[in-house]
Amino acid sequence: MTRRRRLYEGKAKILFEGPEPGTIVQYFKDDATAFNNQKKGTITGKGVINNRISEYLMMRLAEIGIPTHFIRRLNMREQLVREVEIIPLEVVVRNVAAGSLATRFGIAEGTALPRSVVEFYYKNDGLNDPMVSEEHITAFGWASPQDIDDIMALALRVNDFLVGLFLGIGIKLIDFKIEFGRLYEEDMMRIVLADEISPDSCRLWDAKTNEKMDKDRFRRDMGKVEEAYQEVARRLGILLEGGPGDVRGPTAVQ
Ligand code: ADP
Ligand code: MG
């Protein structure tokens, strides 16, 4: 066994150098953080489930023509992706008021928004991921006006598709955060969907009961966090019979 080069360890994932140039391996951890690292914990089996859910959603999105970094899942906790130059923006799409939008504008959580709203946050933990306008993004050179147009169009297509997909399994997609990256191929640059889409990065409410099925259960100490993540996977039809094999077992990372 050769030792892989660890490129980066984040809050939820570890990135390793991939087997071929231009690829990286995303290892999904069980670590959970909230409120910019002020709250830390683990959600047993989360890494296994998020690896699966993100694989599934990225593959479905690719089928409708959304370019993504995803190549293939390698094992329970790892997936091979194309290495991209991450655009330092957290792109949030909201359909229903919740979280910081509900707080900032004094709108009751659960209120449907008049239309889907896209927001940008500067991805910088040291600064608490401040919200930014397109003016800031272009002035500081994080993305060009054309990049922003592409990102907005992609984010809204992702939203339209995911809203329908989740509604089909009795789940309301309240909001979600995605990241994009630049992929260079010869003299061309493409913006592709990167990072992950999972209950860590989405607000998902049961369509009938409005019960939360996402990381808000961890943020707000609501309990049944693992169960909620598993239920999302189960409804997506991607949990193996008897549950994910190594959920409670030890995990080997090189
Ligand atoms: P963070 O704590 O920064 O959110 P994570 O634990 O989520 O980190 O680990 C994933 C990191 O890898 C993120 O910083 C994300 O921007 C980055 N990333 C995601 N997909 C890619 C990719 N395809 N190429 C390079 N970096 C990526
Ligand atoms: Mg992250």
Side-chain angles (χ1 to χ4, degrees):
M1 270 269 227
T2 52
R3 223 179 153 74
R4 291 181 294 182
R5 201 152 70 90
R6 184 188 286 241
L7 303 174
Y8 176 81
E9 174 153 7
K11 298 183 292 293
K13 300 185 286 297
I14 306 172
L15 304 184
F16 294 97
E17 204 168 61
E20 296 111 40
T23 65
I24 55 176
V25 173
Q26 273 194 322
Y27 174 96
F28 286 72
K29 303 190 285 184
D30 285 350
D31 297 358
T33 64
F35 314 116
N36 191 26
N37 254 328
Q38 289 179 56
K39 181 179 170 124
K40 287 188 180 144
T42 49
I43 302 173
T44 309
K46 171 172 84 82
V48 175
I49 295 173
N50 283 359
N51 186 26
R52 282 266 177 168
I53 292 178
S54 200
E55 169 195 25
Y56 178 78
L57 297 177
M58 293 267 181
M59 281 176 50
R60 296 296 308 270
L61 286 164
E63 283 167 18
I64 62 154
I66 304 283
T68 87
H69 73 160
F70 184 81
I71 302 173
R72 66 175 179 277
R73 188 166 59 82
L74 298 171
N75 55 50
M76 296 294 266
R77 286 185 184 268
E78 295 178 335
Q79 54 179 247
L80 186 67
V81 300
R82 250 172 252 292
E83 182 167 25
V84 300
E85 181 187 290
I86 288 286
I87 296 170
L89 297 173
E90 304 215 324
V91 181
V92 173
V93 186
R94 300 177 180 273
N95 301 302
V96 174
S100 67
L101 180 135
T103 308
R104 292 174 59 238
F105 299 112
I107 304 173
E109 227 184 31
T111 310
L113 299 175
R115 63 172 172 80
S116 303
V117 172
V118 180
E119 298 173 345
F120 298 107
Y121 296 82
Y122 178 42
K123 194 177 153 57
N124 186 317
D125 285 341
L127 298 174
N128 248 318
D129 298 337
M131 191 179 200
V132 293
S133 71
E134 294 180 34
E135 278 288 291
H136 301 123
I137 297 170
T138 53
F140 296 125
W142 299 321
S144 70
Q146 179 63 57
D147 293 341
I148 297 174
D149 284 353
D150 293 351
I151 287 170
M152 283 266 227
L154 285 169
L156 290 170
R157 281 175 66 200
V158 169
N159 182 53
D160 282 349
F161 182 76
L162 292 185
V163 164
L165 184 147
F166 278 115
L167 211 50
I169 54 169
I171 294 175
K172 287 193 266 194
L173 179 61
I174 304 301
D175 57 39
F176 61 93
K177 183 273 291 185
I178 46 181
E179 294 179 26
F180 292 93
R182 297 191 181 86
L183 190 59
Y184 296 92
E185 286 164 330
E186 279 149 36
D187 55 353
M188 293 289 287
M189 185 278 285
R190 268 197 308 155
I191 290 182
V192 307
L193 184 58
D195 203 48
E196 69 176 281
I197 309 179
S198 72
D200 271 10
S201 57
C202 299
R203 282 200 173 87
L204 304 167
W205 294 5
D206 181 86
K208 281 209 194 89
T209 65
N210 280 340
E211 203 180 336
K212 296 187 199 315
M213 306 176 72
D214 55 61
K215 204 168 89 175
D216 271 347
R217 299 199 72 87
F218 169 77
R219 289 189 191 99
R220 302 179 192 188
D221 292 319
M222 299 170 74
K224 296 236 185 303
V225 190
E226 293 95 331
E227 290 84 349
Y229 279 59
Q230 280 189 30
E231 176 61 13
V232 173
R234 192 191 65 77
R235 290 198 201 175
L236 286 168
I238 54 180
L239 260 200
L240 311 169
E241 290 300 320
D246 84 337
V247 154
R248 266 150 226 289
T251 51
V253 196
Q254 291 119 47

